[in-house]
């Protein structure tokens, strides 16, 4: 059995699956139920000066008949008294000593940081997560993403936290920046032990077409919220990987953003995160999803004969490179397996309207298996994406006789490039 | 049109395929792959753009969805319920090849069209008046489809119907668990709502009104008279109480009441879809024992397999390879049917006939044709009782067109709609050409 115990910046947990700081971690009883379900860690709903929330708070994007491919919220940090939160945190740690409890924190002044860090550690927190990411409400008060977007402020407050903390400090970064790197480096400069990313993305989830008011509706008005859910995962994967692959950045990463199942979690691990945090899928389907995540991760590690998480974390990072380092002479063409094709011809339409007009209806009108004009196929794989049948369309490499050559090599060493296809 | 009586026998039936809820419809619509040049479209005689109307259900554009349907098939509401989708669109859904349940196209079409008709008038206006007029003989699906398309082209239309109401078999002949007569009638009225369609009921052509008169009144004629009465076996006693044509029986059940008191066993003779409907209907009306009598084997029946499966689930028995040779009679009523066993070649085996006691015998061995009605119409030919015409319904008389069962010999409602619609296009071409020549 593979060992899936995790360690992110010294915060240890029985598995790499943590609940992100959010409504599922609003209280001790919730977190204890989550631990019973199998979650390895929980980042407590952000603690600070308790706020007043609005109704309603959430919006979701449906797709394919199910709600929530994208999700957003305008909820703020905890609205519960700090005393209650810390009392429950101590209770959780007493009953679940091996699980990771991380206190997410958001306050303003140095004195406030000092006090809330002390109270968190007194309650038994295994680590702290500085919420420099919340993109709605709190940032209007000079906190959350207002801090995360200013590297100097980020580094300064991080250094305060490090000054007062004895447990590991993670900085939670906002994706609402043009380049994540300076912000990760700022946290590193401030002395952080690790980072977690991404927080939610500034967004308007939609507009209610009946009332002509953006969603979620708050008595005839709305505001921008934080976007999350599976739709944001590509953005999150990129930002986490952008830090993981940069040689100047050396901190552990807790990956967040659009993780709904074990495959998604493995993607974050492969791109350099040593733990993953989940919120939206739990809000939509419950704590129970973790059972499948644990089994799926273990099965994946068994399949690839990986004993511990260390053998997994970052394995895909070296393959993530610049466009200029990609082999321009590598050539593929689409092949359609006539035995698997069901004749929907979605590939024909996709290729004709969205690609290079090289997949055609079968000239034999009695057959519905399309034909690929390989002399025109550029290997874009749009057909494979629209095909509803697993394994029916494959992208097959073509031996064109050219040695591998990247754009960078072409510029520097005049490497020969194969003739272009589909560009007439 | 005469309203339907409120106490019809058909009202004891419930919906065989209940409508989808909005959630069911959205879930099903979202499963559709939105195929390109989709096989389901090709399988539809009216060529409805099925993936498009389904996509519009998924996006919440119900009005547009219905319009996509009605653009091809103005009787899309009844077709949604009466079409044998298992052998048409649904049968050709690409999901079948994957072993995934095919899209429930009929139910989705019903969802969109029911909503459209509940909302109000269909979204069509008559075209600018062409000054031309067309007479339509028969008021069934073919004529309704033809009339509606002709009005969109701006031609004036008069429908001559022998019965008291329009709708044809959609009102008198569809199994009530598929489409009650009131719904068929409401749909006919929705078609008429385009305006400018004069309806003359209770008039038979050519007995009450001659072809010459009609040709005098109108620039062109469309014939959509359907089929004639049920065929008979030609046995003695066929006129007695307890023997009926299946189509006549179904019409009586749809428009009025049938009396089944004392009927313990009913026999239905035939293996086509009228027979399939009749056996299911008799069971639904409470006849304890229903027997299908067919000359050939189970596999040789022309009725749809899914219909026969449905009948068998209701407990219908079958007597295959049996030929009725005589009625048993007592006190002026039928009490049974003598059945001669046949070999695989449907020839008599020469053994003694068996007795099937039955208090009701329905004959579903086909319907007569009405080709003889067009005798005396210059240039119009018939063959095997059908009016001969090209694909667009053009007969040998340039001013006379035809569509529906009297042309195709008896197919589905959706075929009649397609033929009526296409004939309207051909009529429009004729009238425009003639108009240009006059000018």
């Amino acid at each position: 059995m593979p060992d899936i115990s995790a360690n992110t910046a010294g915060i240890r947990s029985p598995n790499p699956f943590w609940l992100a700081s959010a409504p599922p971690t609003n209280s001790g009883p919730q977190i204890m139920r989550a631990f019973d379900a199998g979650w390895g860690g929980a980042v407590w709903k952000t603690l600070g000066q308790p706020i007043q929330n609005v109704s309603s708070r959430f919006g979701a994007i449906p797709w394919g008949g199910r709600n929530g491919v994208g999700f957003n919220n305008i909820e703020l940090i905890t609205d519960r008294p700090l005393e209650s939160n810390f009392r429950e945190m101590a209770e959780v740690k007493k009953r679940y000593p091996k699980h990771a409890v991380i206190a997410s924190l958001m306050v303003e002044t140095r004195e406030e940081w000092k006090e809330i860090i002390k109270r968190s550690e007194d309650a038994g927190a295994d680590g702290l997560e500085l919420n420099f990411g919340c993109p709605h409400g709190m940032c209007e008060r000079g906190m959350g993403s207002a801090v995360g977007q200013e590297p100097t402020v980020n580094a300064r407050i991080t250094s305060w936290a490090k000054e007062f903390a004895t447990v590991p400090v993670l900085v939670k970064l906002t994706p609402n920046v043009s380049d994540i790197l300076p912000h990760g480096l700022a946290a590193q400069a401030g002395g952080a032990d690790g980072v977690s990313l991404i927080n939610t993305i500034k967004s308007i989830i939609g507009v209610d077409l009946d009332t002509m008011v953006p969603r979620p509706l708050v008595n005839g008005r709305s505001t921008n919220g934080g976007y999350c859910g599976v739709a944001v995962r590509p953005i999150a994967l990129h930002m986490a990987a952008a830090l993981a692959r940069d040689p100047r950045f050396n901190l552990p990463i807790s990956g967040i953003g659009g993780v709904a199942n074990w495959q998604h979690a493995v993607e974050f691990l492969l791109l350099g995160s040593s733990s993953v945090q989940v919120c939206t899928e739990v809000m939509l389907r419950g704590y129970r999803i973790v059972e499948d995540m644990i089994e799926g991760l273990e099965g994946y590690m068994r399949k690839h004969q990986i004993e511990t998480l260390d053998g997994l974390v970052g394995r895909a990072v070296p393959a993530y490179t610049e466009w200029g380092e990609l082999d321009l002479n590598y050539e593929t063409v689409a092949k359609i397996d006539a035995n698997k094709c069901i004749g929907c011809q979605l590939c024909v339409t996709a290729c004709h309207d969205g690609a290079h007009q090289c997949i055609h209806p079968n000239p034999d009108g009695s057959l519905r298996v399309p034909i690929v004009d390989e002399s025109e196929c550029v290997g874009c794989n749009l057909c494979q994406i629209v095909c509803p049948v697993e394994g029916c369309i494959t992208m097959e490499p073509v031996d064109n006789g050219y040695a591998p050559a990247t754009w960078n090599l072409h510029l520097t060493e005049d490497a020969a490039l194969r003739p272009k296809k589909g560009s007439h | 049109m005469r309203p339907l009586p409120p106490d019809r026998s058909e009202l004891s039936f419930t919906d065989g395929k209940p409508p989808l809820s909005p959630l069911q419809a959205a879930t099903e619509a979202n499963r559709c792959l939105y195929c390109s040049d989709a096989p389901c479209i090709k399988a539809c005689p009216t060529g409805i753009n099925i993936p498009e109307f389904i996509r519009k259900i998924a996006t919440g554009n119900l009005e547009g969805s219905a319009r996509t349907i009605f653009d091809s098939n103005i009787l899309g509401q009844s077709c949604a319920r009466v079409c044998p989708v298992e052998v048409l669109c649904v049968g050709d859904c690409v999901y079948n090849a994957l072993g995934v349940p095919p899209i429930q196209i009929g139910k989705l079409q019903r969802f969109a069209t029911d909503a459209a008709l509940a909302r109000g008038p269909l979204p069509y206006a008559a075209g600018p008046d062409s000054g031309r007029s067309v007479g339509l003989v028969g008021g069934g699906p073919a004529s309704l489809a033809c009339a509606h398309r002709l009005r969109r082209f701006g031609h004036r239309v008069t429908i001559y119907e022998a019965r008291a109401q329009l709708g044809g078999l959609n009102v008198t002949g569809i199994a009530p668990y598929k489409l009650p007569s009131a719904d068929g009638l409401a749909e006919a009225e929705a078609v008429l709502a385009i305006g400018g369609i004069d309806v003359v009921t209770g008039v038979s052509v050519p007995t009450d009104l001659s072809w010459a008169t009609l040709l005098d009144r109108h620039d062109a004629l469309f014939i959509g008279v359907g089929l004639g009465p049920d065929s008979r076996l030609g046995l003695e006693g066929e006129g007695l109480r307890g023997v009926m044509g299946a189509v006549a029986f179904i019409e009586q059940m749809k428009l009025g009441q049938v009396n089944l008191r004392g009927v313990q066993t009913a026999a239905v003779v035939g293996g086509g879809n009228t027979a399939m409907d009749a056996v299911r209907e008799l069971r639904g009306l409470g006849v304890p024992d229903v027997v299908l009598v067919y000359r050939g084997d189970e596999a040789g029946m022309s009725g749809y397999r899914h219909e026969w499966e449905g009948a068998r689930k209701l407990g219908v028995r079958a007597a295959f390879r049996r030929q009725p040779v005589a009625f048993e009679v007592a006190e002026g009523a039928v009490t049974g049917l003598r059945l001669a066993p046949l070999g695989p070649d449907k020839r008599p085996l020469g053994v003694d006939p068996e007795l099937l006691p039955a208090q009701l015998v329905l004959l579903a061995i086909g319907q007569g044709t009405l080709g003889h009605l067009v005798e005396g119409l210059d240039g119009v030919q018939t063959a095997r009782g059908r009016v001969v015409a090209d694909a667009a319904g053009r007969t040998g008389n340039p001013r006379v067109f035809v569509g529906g069962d009297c042309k195709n010999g008896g197919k589905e409602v959706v075929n009649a709609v397609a033929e009526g619609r296409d004939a309207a296009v051909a009529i429009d071409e004729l009238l425009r050409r003639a108009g240009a020549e006059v000018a």
Side-chain angles (χ1 to χ4, degrees), chain A residues 8 23 58 103 119 136-137 143 169 180 185 188 232 262 266 274 277 282 298 337 348 350 366 375 389 406:
Chain A
T8 297
F58 304 131
R119 292 178 74 179
H136 50 268
M143 292 178 275
V169 172
I180 197 69
L185 292 175
Q188 183 172 292
V232 311
W262 67 268
V266 170
S274 49
Q277 299 185 27
V282 167
E298 288 174 345
D337 184 338
V348 175
S366 68
S375 69
V389 184
T406 66

Side-chain angles (χ1 to χ4, degrees), chain B residues 142 169 223-229 231 247 274 302 365-371 383-389 402-413 415-416 419:
Chain B
L169 284 171
I223 303 172
V225 292
L227 295 176
S231 301
V247 172
T274 303
S302 62
I365 55 173
Q367 286 175 261
T369 53
L370 293 175
R384 290 179 296 145
R386 305 177 191 179
V387 181
V388 176
V402 66
D405 284 355
C406 65
K407 176 188 176 222
N408 63 37
K411 286 189 176 175
E412 301 297 337
V413 174
N415 298 99
E419 291 173 20

